[in-house]
Amino acid sequence: MSIMKLRLLIVAVSSFCFCDSEVFFNSRHDDVPEWQHPHSKSPEGKHWALIAAGSNGWINYRHQANACHAYQIMKRNGIPEENIVLMMYDDIAYNELNPTPGVIINHPNGPNVYEGVKIDYKGDDVSPSNFLAALSGDETLAKNGKKVIQSGPDDHIFVYFADHGGPGCIAFLDEVLFANDLISTLKKMHREKKFKQMVLYIEACESGSMFENLLPKDINIYATTAANASESSWACYVDEQRNTCLGDAYSVNWMEDSDKEALDKESLQKQFLIVRKETKYSHVQEYGDKSISREMLSEFQAGPEYRPSPPIVLPKVPCGVVPADEAPLAILRHRLKTAKDEVSKQQLMREIDELLELRDRVAKTMQDIVTLATGDDVGQYERVYTKGHRDIDFDCYVPVFNLFHKRCYNVARTYSANKQMGFLVNMCDEKIPSEKIMEAITRVCKE
């Protein structure tokens, strides 16, 4: 398809789709079954929270908005500030593109979720190594004055992350955290008795691949994800004034539910069912020890001495959504649709063209790599491009990914590259030696 035809198509489909009515803001969820069970409080244990947004830039506004909103929920419900670790780049509130300096919102016309947040890791400190170190209570970081989770065997830990992702990885600025490294840290923490129970909520494309067939069911950890192991998560709330997305569907669904419900009356399982129902365009998943889901939300999203606060019920608005990895392109489409002058329109058209051309280049690069790696085996080439999700061979995948990331495209920054990483997974699944795949990458992507 020519660029001109693509331009016309973009303009034609630039409107976002809208969620079904009465999806996001029912004041109660009586159609979702209650879980009746005796649940145990943990008055002697502490409650901790680690909240991280891995991205930066105005185009990724929603990730830091999500993180700030999560921080407000934890703080408002009684987790002490010293027990909340917040990691975010902090380039949104006073960004030159922000029409309301010092204000970040996570819902159209919503409250300022930036107010009062205390950021512990900002700028280039947003990294996979610091994330794992803060989670596991790294003593060196603590000695250097950085806040870490100093938890013990009676404590509960809640972890929330938002950014882009790909097969078996989530992004932090220019780096990625691989699932095997996360799981290794979680297992080590369990062996060292650093928590009683832990809950993780992950917002990212293909976020299910961080846990599927990886997270054990017997280490007292429960996780939910915005998407399964092979699909996009979805951005939402495109804002007319800010020309960006304010949130992600899975994230605003769980947070807006927590805002309006009594956390000691709703279980993790009930919230999972609500979020799964309301997140229409991806398949919300759960992993690990699912018996933990019977616990009340207050055991993880509130302090041990939780007392319900007045519910926050935001007005119902259309929730335009777009696949998260397509959000940069979708935002440009929206800006083009609302542009007032010809100069702005031409500039936006050029930016759209560049993104489309980049997407084509990335796909062509991967095609050339697969062609070289599979050689004359036509059947193997076809299987690489047609097989569905497979368990990831990290011994093969990690070095192959890292070389592609270094020589071809920065996967953490080039969102169109995320979808291509599945073909690296498939080549490893085909038992093509990693050395052969890396040789192909080196030949195709010359420094």
Side-chain angles (χ1 to χ4, degrees):
M1 183 181 291
S2 69
I3 293 296
M4 183 57 69
K5 289 181 179 178
L6 282 170
R7 283 178 173 173
L8 294 174
L9 178 61
I10 289 162
V11 174
V13 301
S14 60
S15 296
F16 292 152
C17 58
F18 294 97
C19 292
D20 295 340
S21 62
E22 298 189 330
V23 168
F24 274 79
F25 299 105
N26 294 326
S27 61
R28 293 288 170 182
H29 298 279
D30 297 327
D31 56 331
V32 179
E34 288 280 4
W35 283 68
Q36 301 294 335
H37 64 279
H39 61 280
S40 58
K41 293 285 184 181
S42 54
E44 296 181 0
K46 296 180 180 180
H47 292 188
W48 302 82
L50 171 59
I51 300 166
S55 66
N56 65 354
W58 190 254
I59 206 83
N60 293 312
Y61 179 108
R62 64 193 186 277
H63 298 140
Q64 294 184 61
N66 292 338
C68 289
H69 190 174
Y71 181 97
Q72 299 293 351
I73 290 171
M74 305 302 137
K75 180 180 175 181
R76 185 167 65 93
N77 289 300
I79 297 183
E81 287 184 346
E82 60 267 27
N83 287 18
I84 306 173
V85 179
L86 177 60
M87 175 180 288
M88 56 181 272
Y89 198 86
D90 196 24
D91 63 340
I92 298 301
Y94 293 98
N95 193 292
E96 62 181 10
L97 296 176
N98 192 347
T100 56
V103 174
I104 297 176
I105 60 175
N106 197 218
H107 177 91
N109 301 312
N112 179 13
V113 294
Y114 186 71
E115 183 177 3
V117 300
K118 294 186 177 180
I119 305 169
D120 303 293
Y121 297 83
K122 64 173 61 178
D124 291 339
D125 284 342
V126 176
S127 69
S129 59
N130 280 340
F131 178 83
L132 294 181
L135 175 60
S136 57
D138 183 81
E139 293 181 0
T140 301
L141 271 184
K143 288 177 181 178
N144 290 333
K146 286 292 190 180
K147 191 190 295 185
V148 299
I149 293 179
Q150 297 177 313
S151 54
D154 295 320
D155 295 353
H156 285 183
I157 303 175
F158 179 80
V159 179
Y160 170 68
F161 172 87
D163 191 8
H164 297 279
C169 64
I170 51 178
F172 289 78
L173 301 182
D174 292 313
E175 303 177 75
V176 300
L177 170 61
F178 290 104
N180 59 329
D181 292 328
L182 174 61
I183 298 300
S184 177
T185 296
L186 297 179
K187 289 179 177 178
K188 184 172 185 289
M189 291 178 66
H190 178 256
R191 289 195 302 271
E192 294 176 351
K193 302 186 186 309
K194 289 193 171 183
F195 59 90
K196 181 180 180 181
Q197 293 177 329
M198 184 189 302
V199 170
L200 299 97
Y201 283 13
I202 305 296
E203 172 72 67
C205 291
E206 302 178 74
S207 43
S209 65
M210 295 298 290
F211 302 112
E212 186 172 297
N213 297 326
L214 294 170
L215 180 62
K217 298 179 180 180
D218 59 354
I219 61 172
N220 301 328
I221 296 176
Y222 172 70
T224 78
T225 61
N228 65 26
S230 58
E231 67 183 356
S232 295
S233 60
W234 290 72
C236 69
Y237 293 157
V238 63
D239 185 78
E240 299 285 344
Q241 184 182 16
R242 293 165 180 80
N243 281 312
T244 192
C245 293
L246 302 180
D248 291 285
Y250 160 87
S251 292
V252 299
N253 283 339
W254 80 257
M255 286 188 280
E256 290 175 7
D257 178 61
S258 292
D259 277 338
K260 63 192 175 187
E261 299 294 343
L263 302 187
D264 59 349
K265 304 298 183 184
E266 180 171 306
S267 68
L268 288 160
Q269 180 64 15
K270 183 177 179 182
Q271 182 163 89
F272 167 75
L273 294 173
I274 290 167
V275 174
R276 185 175 66 180
K277 176 185 176 184
E278 295 181 350
T279 305
K280 297 290 190 180
Y281 301 98
S282 65
H283 299 84
V284 175
Q285 303 292 307
E286 59 180 341
Y287 301 96
D289 184 352
K290 296 179 184 178
S291 70
I292 293 174
S293 72
R294 299 173 184 171
E295 296 286 351
M296 296 295 105
L297 293 172
S298 57
E299 289 295 295
F300 298 93
Q301 297 178 17
E305 303 302 323
Y306 168 73
R307 294 292 181 272
S309 53
I312 299 174
V313 182
L314 297 172
K316 182 168 59 178
V317 297
C319 52
V321 291
V322 63
D325 55 352
E326 293 286 334
L329 188 58
I331 290 167
L332 289 175
R333 292 170 177 170
H334 179 76
R335 291 174 62 189
L336 177 62
K337 183 182 177 183
T338 59
K340 303 299 184 183
D341 61 89
E342 192 61 30
V343 173
S344 297
K345 289 180 181 179
Q346 291 300 319
Q347 175 61 31
L348 289 166
M349 292 296 280
R350 284 192 293 270
E351 292 181 32
I352 289 169
D353 287 349
E354 290 171 1
L355 273 182
L356 291 170
E357 290 167 359
L358 174 61
R359 185 168 65 183
D360 289 344
R361 286 200 308 274
V362 172
K364 180 61 165 59
T365 297
M366 183 59 71
Q367 185 179 38
D368 291 344
I369 292 169
V370 175
T371 298
L372 283 174
T374 56
D376 297 329
D377 192 334
V378 177
Q380 188 174 62
Y381 175 93
E382 291 178 351
R383 288 193 299 275
V384 168
Y385 269 98
T386 58
K387 68 168 56 178
H389 171 73
R390 297 288 186 273
D391 289 347
I392 299 173
D393 177 359
F394 285 97
D395 290 337
C396 170
Y397 178 58
V398 170
V400 167
F401 178 106
N402 284 337
L403 186 62
F404 183 95
H405 179 72
K406 177 182 178 181
R407 293 186 67 103
C408 303
Y409 297 95
N410 183 326
V411 179
R413 297 280 189 182
T414 311
Y415 310 128
S416 57
N418 291 337
K419 286 187 175 297
Q420 301 296 322
M421 295 302 96
F423 302 127
L424 297 183
V425 172
N426 288 349
M427 282 192 284
C428 289
D429 189 66
E430 281 290 310
K431 306 304 180 185
I432 300 174
S434 58
E435 295 80 9
K436 187 174 182 180
I437 304 172
M438 294 168 74
E439 179 184 354
I441 292 172
T442 302
R443 290 177 61 185
V444 171
C445 300
K446 299 178 176 61
E447 290 186 292

